[in-house]
């Protein structure tokens, strides 16, 4: 039996990650589709603490701990059991989001993010699709949803530009698992590109 694969989707808010994660899961059949922050009952509770309320609700340090706590629970309760059962896992965001978002907000905390990851998570995806797109277009898409979970999206366009560059740098620094996808295309075009790249790598 081939080893089950762990696939993640990353990118700025509104870049089409959720749409494409869903489409790849539907295409593969039998894959576990999950998301962060969240993906397990405990981590979904932590998600509410992170994504709703005053943007200044948490210090940067507390926020990193909450994202890491949520990820640890997600890994223990959802990701690892599914992989052990031979199921492919597709996650809409994972550790790269902490590296980029929390690293972008407070660059001096990037080392803390990396150390916490090493101690508490210690797992990288087998393959990561980073969907790259124009932040102005992505922001329009994202805010059009009005989900109420907009604590981060409230930070606006310059923040999204910084994040985009963070994801591009990350893709360059981990080419063995990251594939950059041009998200400025129709849903169908992006999905077929992802399907082709997936087949080539897995
Ligand atoms: P993310 O998970 O990255 O925030 P979503 O997949 O939720 O992004 O997409 C954000 C919004 O943009 C949704 O309303 C979705 O239907 C729409 N959308 C997704 N992909 C595309 C695309 N390629 N072209 C146009 N609209 C899209
Ligand atoms: P998500 O629900 O994926 O938002 P979107 O669909 O708009 O991309 O993620 C919620 C927000 O949490 C998003 O703005 C990114 C942020 N986030 C972090 O800052 N750090 C993290 O580690 C994760 C997983 C998400």
């Amino acid at each position: 039996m081939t080893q089950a694969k762990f696939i993640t989707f990353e990118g700025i808010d509104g870049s089409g990650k959720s749409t494409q994660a869903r489409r790849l899961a539907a295409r593969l059949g039998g894959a576990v589709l999950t998301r962060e922050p969240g993906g397990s009952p405990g981590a979904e509770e932590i998600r509410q603490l992170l994504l709703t309320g005053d943007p200044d609700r948490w210090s940067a340090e507390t926020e990193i701990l909450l994202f890491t706590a949520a990820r640890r629970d997600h890994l223990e309760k959802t990701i690892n059991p599914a992989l052990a059962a031979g199921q492919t896992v597709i996650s809409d965001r994972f550790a790269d989001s902490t590296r980029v978002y929390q690293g972008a907000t407070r660059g001096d905390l990037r080392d803390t993010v990396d150390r916490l990851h090493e101690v508490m998570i210690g797992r990288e995806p087998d393959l990561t699709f980073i969907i790259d797109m124009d932040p102005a277009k992505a922001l329009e898409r994202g805010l059009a949803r009005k989900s109420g979970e907009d604590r981060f999206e409230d930070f606006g366009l310059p923040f999204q530009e910084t994040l985009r560059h963070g994801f591009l740098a990350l893709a360059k620094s981990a080419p063995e698992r990251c594939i950059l996808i041009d998200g400025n295309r129709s849903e169908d075009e992006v999905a077929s590109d992802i399907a082709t790249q997936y087949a080539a790598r897995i």
Side-chain angles (χ1 to χ4, degrees):
M1 195 174 84
T2 55
Q3 211 192 338
K5 299 296 182 198
F6 178 32
I7 316 295
T8 59
F9 282 78
E10 298 278 1
I12 60 175
D13 304 282
S15 57
K17 295 177 303 301
S18 315
T19 304
Q20 296 300 332
R22 208 181 317 118
R23 288 187 66 148
L24 182 64
R27 191 182 180 98
L28 296 180
V32 171
L33 178 61
T34 187
R35 67 160 180 190
E36 287 205 354
S40 62
E44 290 288 334
E45 287 189 37
I46 299 173
R47 179 185 175 95
Q48 289 310 307
L49 297 176
L50 280 160
L51 300 189
T52 59
D54 186 342
D56 297 324
R57 185 176 187 185
W58 309 112
S59 74
E61 289 81 356
T62 307
E63 192 172 275
I64 290 168
L65 287 168
L66 287 170
F67 277 116
T68 307
R71 182 161 305 126
R72 175 76 196 205
D73 194 64
H74 186 208
L75 201 61
E76 286 178 6
K77 307 275 170 54
T78 303
I79 299 173
N80 284 341
L83 291 172
Q87 290 172 292
T88 292
V89 175
I90 299 174
S91 186
D92 179 358
R93 296 194 186 279
F94 189 65
D96 293 328
S97 284
T98 312
R99 294 181 177 117
V100 171
Y101 279 76
Q102 279 62 52
T105 323
R106 281 277 303 276
D108 59 317
L109 288 177
R110 177 56 201 271
D111 185 49
T112 304
V113 168
D114 290 343
R115 283 159 61 195
L116 268 177
H117 179 82
E118 200 184 318
V119 175
M120 286 297 159
I121 310 298
R123 175 76 159 94
E124 297 298 342
D126 297 300
L127 194 61
T128 298
F129 290 106
I130 295 184
I131 305 187
D132 178 53
M133 72 170 298
D134 173 24
K137 266 171 87 177
L139 197 65
E140 260 171 41
R141 284 184 191 171
L143 289 180
R145 287 177 303 170
K146 293 228 184 316
S147 65
E149 292 182 330
D150 51 5
R151 202 177 139 246
F152 287 85
E153 286 165 16
D154 279 353
F155 288 161
L157 195 56
F159 183 58
Q160 297 292 325
E161 296 273 5
T162 306
L163 296 173
R164 180 192 194 183
H165 289 287
F167 278 117
L168 290 174
L170 193 89
K172 260 196 184 158
S173 73
E176 70 290 350
R177 69 172 170 89
C178 292
I179 297 179
L180 205 59
I181 297 289
D182 176 7
N184 298 286
R185 296 175 290 173
S186 74
E187 272 185 39
D188 285 352
E189 283 174 294
V190 177
S192 100
D193 189 5
I194 288 171
T196 305
Q197 304 264 11
Y198 180 88
R201 290 273 196 129
I202 300 284

